[in-house]
Amino acid sequence: MANIYTPSQKAAKRQAIMTAAINLFAHRSYPEITMQQIAEAVGSSKGATFRYFKTKEDLFMTILLEDYQQYFTQLTTDLAQQPPLSADDFIAWMTTQTRQLIEEHRVLIRLNAIRGPILEGKANMQETITQREALYRASQRLGQQLVIQTDHLLDQSQFSHLFIIQSGIISGLMNMAALTSFNHHKLSVDYPDFEIRLIPEAQQQIRYYLTQYLKEFSHK
């Protein structure tokens, strides 16, 4: 007789699979991870794992979009507890958030870097669209909170868009930083001109971008 799970048990199993995948991805490259490894990590069969996620790409796309949604939601909550932000305060806040995103959400930004070239190839399009719509709403709420927090320095759409720019800066620099390694292994040769210090250079780029952007588009 097949096991019958309650909705809460199914949700817990789904989360366990996602957590196992995150833990593996924290230490391995994407191609090295298999659904069999993920199933073993949660004490399940590969067939049972596929009942929750039809492909490995579905699984990791879900992790990416749901975790980004949680990240935006947490930023919105945290912002509501802070005092008002001036233009300079906002630039400093975004610069700090850029560092924290890289340091504390490395799995998230690594997945974002492979979203287009790898994950979308086999991920379910309709499920991805549904998750993106939820992420878009979370992004809008974050943008609206920043409108309030900065006394209408920019409008909601402009604030929301800046997080896409931030993501693009980080992903681009992360991909180019890989020129000094191969498949996550540091090369023995020395390429000093190819070296990228991800955190300080990402912070520098977002600071430059925001300074110019606010000069052009600030409502004040």
Side-chain angles (χ1 to χ4, degrees):
M1 181 180 294
N3 290 326
I4 299 175
Y5 295 105
T6 65
S8 62
Q9 289 174 324
K10 289 180 180 178
K13 185 72 170 183
R14 179 179 182 273
Q15 185 58 53
I17 293 169
M18 293 172 65
T19 300
I22 290 169
N23 291 337
L24 285 168
F25 189 64
H27 304 288
R28 304 182 188 183
S29 66
Y30 181 80
E32 293 176 318
I33 300 170
T34 67
M35 291 294 272
Q36 180 66 45
Q37 292 169 343
I38 295 168
E40 290 173 357
V42 295
S44 179
S45 68
K46 185 168 70 171
T49 303
F50 276 120
R51 285 200 289 271
Y52 291 87
F53 301 97
K54 294 180 181 178
T55 66
K56 185 173 75 167
E57 289 75 15
D58 272 339
L59 169 55
F60 280 95
M61 183 71 83
T62 297
I63 291 170
L64 170 63
L65 295 174
E66 289 191 3
D67 280 11
Y68 239 123
Q69 182 180 346
Q70 291 170 11
Y71 172 67
F72 283 165
T73 299
Q74 188 61 54
L75 285 185
T76 305
T77 301
D78 292 346
L79 271 169
Q81 310 303 316
Q82 294 188 20
L85 301 174
S86 66
D88 288 342
D89 291 336
F90 172 65
I91 292 173
W93 181 81
M94 280 291 287
T95 302
T96 298
Q97 290 305 322
T98 298
R99 172 180 57 77
Q100 292 179 346
L101 180 57
I102 295 170
E103 288 181 340
E104 300 172 14
H105 301 275
R106 192 163 184 83
V107 165
L108 190 60
I109 62 172
R110 282 180 59 206
L111 282 176
N112 200 40
I114 66 171
R115 176 194 53 78
I118 296 178
L119 298 185
E120 288 189 1
K122 294 183 180 179
N124 181 283
M125 184 174 69
Q126 189 54 55
E127 289 179 4
T128 298
I129 290 172
T130 299
Q131 291 167 344
R132 282 185 184 175
E133 288 174 348
L135 176 61
Y136 190 73
R137 291 190 294 272
S139 173
Q140 288 181 315
R141 290 191 293 270
L142 175 55
Q144 186 56 46
Q145 184 61 46
L146 279 164
V147 171
I148 297 169
Q149 213 73 24
T150 63
D151 190 22
H152 298 79
L153 180 66
L154 298 169
D155 64 31
Q156 173 268 307
S157 180
Q158 289 170 316
F159 275 125
S160 297
H161 183 71
L162 287 175
F163 289 92
I164 299 300
I165 299 298
Q166 178 197 50
S167 177
I169 288 171
I170 294 172
S171 294
L173 287 172
M174 176 176 278
N175 279 333
M176 296 310 295
L179 290 172
T180 58
S181 63
F182 185 83
N183 195 27
H184 299 280
H185 298 287
K186 188 71 175 177
L187 297 176
S188 59
V189 295
D190 187 24
Y191 297 140
D193 294 346
F194 288 171
E195 290 284 352
I196 289 177
R197 297 165 60 234
L198 181 58
I199 291 176
E201 295 197 47
Q203 287 186 301
Q204 181 185 62
Q205 291 301 314
I206 195 68
R207 192 162 45 240
Y208 286 165
Y209 185 91
L210 290 173
T211 299
Q212 187 59 39
Y213 190 90
L214 292 180
K215 285 181 180 178
E216 294 184 21
F217 299 109
S218 174
H219 299 165
K220 294 183 179 180

